[in-house]
Amino acid sequence: DEKIEALTPLLFLDPKGWRFYLPAYMIWTLKNWRTSDSQTSDSVLWCLDPAESPSAETLAKFTLLSPQQTWAVYLFVKFFCEYYDDRTIRSAMKNYWCQFAPTSA
């Protein structure tokens, strides 16, 4: 936890490294977003919005995720849309993650 809080390398990782480290950063964020003064939580939320870093590499990171990983990230983004008033995470949902919302039959 201390290493995650002290560093924010998600922004600088290649797609494979991003996919490898993203779960640990998501877990840290869920556990600490209300109590830590670190910018780590904001950094994690920021890296999930393609509008914050519009590039082919950003989309490559997202498309490298398996369907199960994509679903987990969608639920993570949905949680923060509901419980954290932040423009970036709402933008992330609108710009990319909303396409994975379940459709009603």
Side-chain angles (χ1 to χ4, degrees):
D1 279 358
E2 295 82 24
K3 289 180 182 180
I4 289 175
E5 188 172 14
L7 304 170
T8 55
L10 280 178
L11 305 172
F12 306 108
L13 294 173
D14 67 7
K16 288 182 181 180
W18 183 84
R19 182 180 75 173
F20 180 82
Y21 285 105
L22 182 61
Y25 277 82
M26 289 170 51
I27 291 167
W28 185 94
T29 299
L30 287 168
K31 292 184 337 186
N32 297 288
W33 65 283
R34 289 187 181 177
T35 58
S36 175
D37 291 333
S38 168
Q39 294 296 315
T40 302
S41 295
D42 291 331
S43 177
V44 171
L45 301 178
W46 184 83
C47 84
L48 295 173
D49 183 7
E52 292 291 339
S53 179
S55 69
E57 185 176 30
T58 298
L59 290 179
K61 290 175 180 179
F62 295 170
T63 59
L64 194 60
L65 297 174
S66 71
Q68 294 84 3
Q69 291 168 323
T70 300
W71 179 247
V73 175
Y74 163 77
L75 292 174
F76 177 85
V77 171
K78 183 176 183 279
F79 172 85
F80 280 97
C81 283
E82 293 176 13
Y83 295 102
Y84 184 55
D85 186 26
D86 180 73
R87 175 198 61 80
T88 300
I89 201 65
R90 288 190 307 274
S91 175
M93 180 62 84
K94 178 184 170 202
N95 290 323
Y96 187 79
W97 301 102
C98 66
Q99 67 183 307
F100 303 105
T103 57
S104 56

